[in-house]
Amino acid sequence: ILAKVALVKGERSCETVEKVIELAGGLREFVGKPILIKVNFITTKSWNTGATTDPIVVEGLIKCLKTVNDRVAVVESDATMTNADKAYRMTGMNVVCEKYGVPFVNLRHVREKVKVRVAEPETLPELTLPKMVMDSYVISAAKLKTHVDTQVSLGLKNMFGLLPDKFKAKYHLKNIEKVVVDINIVVKPSFTIIDGFVGMEGEGPVNGDPVRMNVVIAGRDPVATDSVAAQVMGFD
C-alpha cells in the first residue's frame, strides 16, 4: 500500500495548515489517549528565521485536534545550548498555547520515565523516555531545514528531542543518524507535519539562511513524509 503524503502551497495561515492535515487523512481517530505535539525548539530564534516550528502550524493542529480530543499538550526538551521553556516564550508559542488552554511540557523535567528496549537497534539498545511519551499519540511538528550533520532536519530528526537529556551532544558521538532511527523505532510518530512556510538552507539547523517556501507537508508515514520534504528541498 502506498503511503499518502499531502503537500499544500499557500499563504501562512491556519487554513493552509488545516487543508494539508485533511488531505493527509485528518486526525479524527486520535482518541482514547493524550496527544503530544512535538515542536522544534533547537534555539530561541523565531519561526521566520527558519529555525523553529511556526506557532501557526501548531495552532492549526490544535484546532483540528480539539474537535476530537481535549487532551493535547505541546512538548519539547532542553537542548545542549537551549532552554526549552525560554524558547517556548521567545518563539511566541506561548501565545497560541494560552489562547487554546494547551499546556507546554519540558520533557527534561518529567519525573516519571521508563526504559524501553530497541528492537534490532542501530546503535542504542535501550532508551530512557518520559512515560507520557509512551502513553500518548505523538505528532511531529517539524521544520523544513538543512542540518550540518544529517543533511536535513525534518520529521524523523525532530523526534530526537523526545530524549529528556539536556546534553544531547553525547548522542552525536554514537552516530546521530543511527540514533534517530532507534528513536523512531521505539516511538513512531502518529502524524508528521513539516512547516515550510519559512525553511532554512545552508548551516542548519540553527545558523542557516531563511528561505520563504510557503509550503506545508504532512502524512502518517514519517519516512514517506520526510522523503517528499527532502525532494522539495532538492535532496535525495
Side-chain angles (χ1 to χ4, degrees):
I1 300 173
L2 291 176
K4 179 191 289 187
V5 178
L7 184 154
V8 173
K9 192 167 179 63
E11 65 178 58
R12 177 181 178 261
S13 66
C14 280
E15 288 72 25
T16 301
V17 176
E18 291 172 53
K19 182 177 180 181
V20 79
I21 290 170
E22 190 60 33
L23 288 172
L27 304 171
R28 285 175 288 275
E29 75 273 24
F30 282 51
V31 296
K33 58 183 179 179
I35 302 162
L36 307 181
I37 300 173
K38 166 61 179 71
V39 294
N40 187 317
F41 286 162
I42 187 65
T43 176
T44 56
K45 293 181 178 180
S46 61
W47 64 270
N48 56 0
T49 66
T52 51
T53 305
D54 190 334
I56 204 83
V57 171
V58 174
E59 183 170 7
L61 277 167
I62 291 171
K63 287 178 71 175
C64 291
L65 290 168
K66 283 284 192 175
T67 63
V68 295
N69 191 337
D70 274 334
R71 294 187 291 168
V72 181
V74 172
V75 302
E76 177 62 297
S77 64
D78 293 338
T80 302
M81 301 298 290
T82 308
N83 179 295
D85 295 293
K86 184 177 180 181
Y88 168 66
R89 297 186 299 272
M90 293 191 69
T91 59
M93 195 66 73
N94 62 317
V95 176
V96 169
C97 288
E98 289 164 11
K99 177 180 177 180
Y100 292 93
V102 170
F104 171 71
V105 180
N106 183 339
L107 296 174
R108 182 189 173 200
H109 303 307
V110 175
R111 291 187 177 181
E112 193 172 5
K113 298 181 176 68
V114 292
K115 290 187 176 181
V116 186
R117 294 204 61 78
V118 182
E120 300 182 13
E122 292 285 319
T123 187
L124 299 175
E126 186 177 77
L127 295 175
T128 299
L129 292 162
K131 186 175 184 296
M132 67 184 298
V133 169
M134 302 306 298
D135 293 342
S136 305
Y137 298 106
V138 178
I139 294 177
S140 181
K143 195 75 175 174
L144 186 81
K145 57 182 178 176
T146 51
H147 194 290
V148 291
D149 293 327
T150 61
Q151 193 168 42
V152 295
S153 177
L154 301 166
L156 294 166
K157 176 63 171 62
N158 187 45
M159 299 290 280
F160 178 60
L162 292 175
L163 294 171
D165 317 61
K166 178 171 175 60
F167 298 105
K168 293 184 174 62
K170 65 184 179 183
Y171 292 105
H172 285 257
L173 302 175
K174 297 178 181 291
N175 189 326
I176 185 61
E177 293 182 340
K178 291 184 176 182
V179 172
V180 168
V181 172
D182 288 341
I183 293 166
N184 281 274
I185 287 171
V186 171
V187 190
K188 181 182 176 181
S190 301
F191 193 83
T192 298
I193 185 164
I194 300 172
D195 161 29
F197 285 127
V198 175
M200 178 179 283
E201 66 180 4
E203 295 293 306
V206 177
N207 298 314
D209 299 316
V211 182
R212 183 166 292 279
M213 298 289 285
N214 289 329
V215 67
V216 188
I217 301 159
R220 298 183 186 281
D221 184 314
V223 176
T225 308
D226 272 16
S227 177
V228 170
Q231 290 178 61
V232 167
M233 297 170 75
F235 295 110
D236 182 351

